Amino acid sequence: MPHPLACLLAAAALLTTLPAAAQNDYEKTVKDGFPVNVFKPGKVEATDARVAQLKAPAGFTVSKFAENVGKPRMLAVAPNGDVYVSDRDKGTVMLVRDANQDGKAELTKTLVQRPDLHGLALKDGKLYLSAIRELFVADVKADGTLGELKTLYNDLPDAGQHPNRTLAFGPDGQLYLSVGSTCNACDERNKEQATMLLVKPDGSGRRVWARGLRNTIGFGWHPVSKALWGFDHGIDWLGDEDQREELNELREGADYGWPYVYADGKIPPHPQPADMTPEQYAAKTVKPALLYAAHAAPLGMVFNTGRQFPQEYQNDAFATMHGSWNRAEPSGYRIVRVRYDAQGRATGIEDFVTGWLVNGNKEQFGRVCGIAQHPDGSLLVTDDSNGVIYRVAYTGAGGKAPAPSGKTKVKAKKG
């Protein structure tokens, strides 16, 4: 009887001989000995009818804050409500403004252009902007436009599989800069790759703050505990259900395992540490607090500190799941809520806004990306596939909002 792996390899070879049209939506193959799937839902327009069928907890509404704005990625929101939005493909930062405060922007204006602009952070009247190798800063003028860009760095690590740097200021007033890995799983030569860097606002003092993070694009600080939390992207090509995405409590000096260990101490069939066994290395790393659906691709994360949402949402986090390509049944394409207890410990992950997948999950009209809280307490969420910025607001009469329908709970894991 033929070996199962040989059968899979033969099937993969046969698949590659089929006409291209048969592979447009779905591909099944074998990589590194693992049977894997590639499926990218087709894109359809974000029509008003489709937006209207998005599912959120009772009392919440989802509407278009802005549309036809290219491929919006990261967001930074000023205290006066001005919204700064990056477009990685165009290398631009836009000003998006809702002057009459009706929940829909009237102004979109390109302020600056540099190749690969992505991460944004505001502090003390200045906007910090990151590209692949550059970190810039500019004064924010009274009219919301930007002064001349000043280069703080032009030697950040090279690009690779994860070139999208993200920025945020912590409670300590320091700038945290996430640098992803160049690859799926490999030994990085540059020790700043796959890390969280710490930088002073004037650009000095750059150093590695935490490591072993394949690609932690979305991160933020719990309002009570002040601990830093971030979603890290799992390794691809391990099958539909591995590697699951990791929610980590990030600590200074800690190692989160990539590329030698993942999840709760699992060892991938990839690089091995040079001076110890994988099991010994795993014992030195910090395990994730929670795990989420494999390949969902978490991108943005923000803690709710506003007063618009019901009290039960206070100090919880919201994260965007950009959506999978490396599994047969899509995961992601949604906004999730991360619940925290009174001590700031993550206790579960559940659906918050869903419905961007349509037609039996074969198509999508939204790949949610950046997320930020507006001063009015609503959430602004970008879609870099369909050129929309969404607004998620609570408009129901007071009281406790019911739990989301169709939610997926994840129990906390100690780590």
Side-chain angles (χ1 to χ4, degrees), residues 6-26:
C7 293
L8 284 169
L9 289 169
L14 177 61
L15 181 63
T16 61
T17 67
L18 296 177
Q23 304 182 52
N24 281 347
D25 294 328
Y26 177 69

Side-chain angles (χ1 to χ4, degrees), residues 44-51 64 67 365-366 383 386 388 390:
V44 295
E45 291 185 13
T47 63
D48 290 344
R50 290 190 176 111
V51 173
K64 292 181 180 179
E67 55 186 328
F365 67 91
D383 163 19
N386 293 272
V388 177
Y390 288 96

Side-chain angles (χ1 to χ4, degrees), residues 41-344:
K43 185 177 76 170
V44 295
E45 291 185 13
T47 63
D48 290 344
R50 290 190 176 111
V51 173
Q53 60 83 50
L54 289 170
K55 298 177 179 62
F60 286 87
T61 61
V62 184
S63 60
K64 292 181 180 179
F65 180 76
E67 55 186 328
N68 301 317
V69 289
K71 295 185 177 180
R73 290 281 292 186
M74 296 295 109
L75 297 163
V77 184
N80 68 352
D82 280 351
V83 182
Y84 296 90
V85 187
S86 66
D87 183 322
R88 174 190 58 186
D89 287 12
K90 294 180 180 178
T92 59
V93 172
M94 295 176 291
L95 171 63
V96 180
R97 179 178 288 162
D98 174 18
N100 62 7
Q101 300 180 6
D102 66 348
K104 191 172 180 64
E106 300 85 33
L107 170 71
T108 58
K109 180 179 182 180
T110 299
L111 301 181
V112 66
Q113 185 172 25
R114 294 287 191 281
D116 306 305
L117 286 179
H118 189 257
L120 303 172
L122 284 162
K123 182 175 176 60
D124 298 334
K126 298 179 184 295
L127 180 66
Y128 292 75
L129 315 86
S130 62
I132 294 173
R133 302 206 69 197
E134 296 83 18
L135 175 62
F136 303 103
V137 64
D139 291 327
V140 178
K141 297 181 180 180
D143 63 356
T145 61
L146 301 178
E148 183 179 356
L149 289 191
K150 176 184 177 183
T151 302
L152 296 180
Y153 289 112
N154 59 10
D155 64 344
L156 293 174
D158 290 335
Q161 191 175 42
H162 302 116
N164 302 312
R165 317 308 184 207
T166 48
L167 307 170
F169 278 96
D172 57 3
Q174 305 302 300
L175 181 64
Y176 291 73
L177 194 160
S178 178
V179 177
S181 67
T182 63
C183 58
N184 182 48
C186 66
D187 289 309
E188 295 282 10
R189 295 184 179 182
N190 189 328
K191 299 305 180 184
E192 287 189 326
Q193 219 86 49
T195 68
M196 183 71 70
L197 301 181
L198 185 71
V199 180
K200 294 181 181 179
D202 64 2
S204 65
R206 171 174 143 195
R207 61 185 176 88
V208 173
W209 191 82
R211 66 183 72 251
L213 299 166
R214 181 171 178 260
N215 195 32
T216 298
I217 289 182
F219 58 94
W221 288 263
H222 189 274
V224 175
S225 71
K226 308 303 180 185
L228 176 57
W229 291 82
F231 268 106
D232 197 40
H233 288 203
I235 296 171
D236 295 319
W237 305 116
L238 296 179
D240 277 12
E241 303 304 329
D242 267 330
Q243 178 194 348
R244 300 178 74 189
E245 315 292 31
E246 296 184 356
L247 176 66
N248 292 303
E249 182 180 354
L250 302 176
R251 307 167 190 166
E252 184 173 5
D255 187 331
Y256 292 85
W258 183 92
Y260 307 121
V261 60
Y262 69 96
D264 295 323
K266 292 184 178 181
I267 309 301
H270 295 303
Q272 304 293 308
D275 55 352
M276 64 186 78
T277 67
E279 291 74 19
Q280 288 172 329
Y281 193 92
K284 295 163 60 72
T285 64
V286 179
K287 295 181 175 61
L290 295 175
L291 298 172
Y292 188 70
H295 313 301
L299 286 193
M301 181 176 179
V302 66
F303 280 91
N304 172 40
T305 59
R307 292 293 183 267
Q308 184 189 106
F309 290 8
Q311 180 61 32
E312 70 161 290
Y313 290 88
Q314 194 69 15
N315 300 329
D316 284 350
F318 297 93
T320 56
M321 297 293 169
H322 195 232
S324 64
W325 58 269
N326 188 210
R327 59 183 291 163
E329 185 66 25
S331 62
Y333 300 94
R334 65 194 60 213
I335 304 170
V336 300
R337 173 191 180 187
V338 184
R339 287 181 179 261
Y340 286 81
D341 64 17
Q343 289 72 44

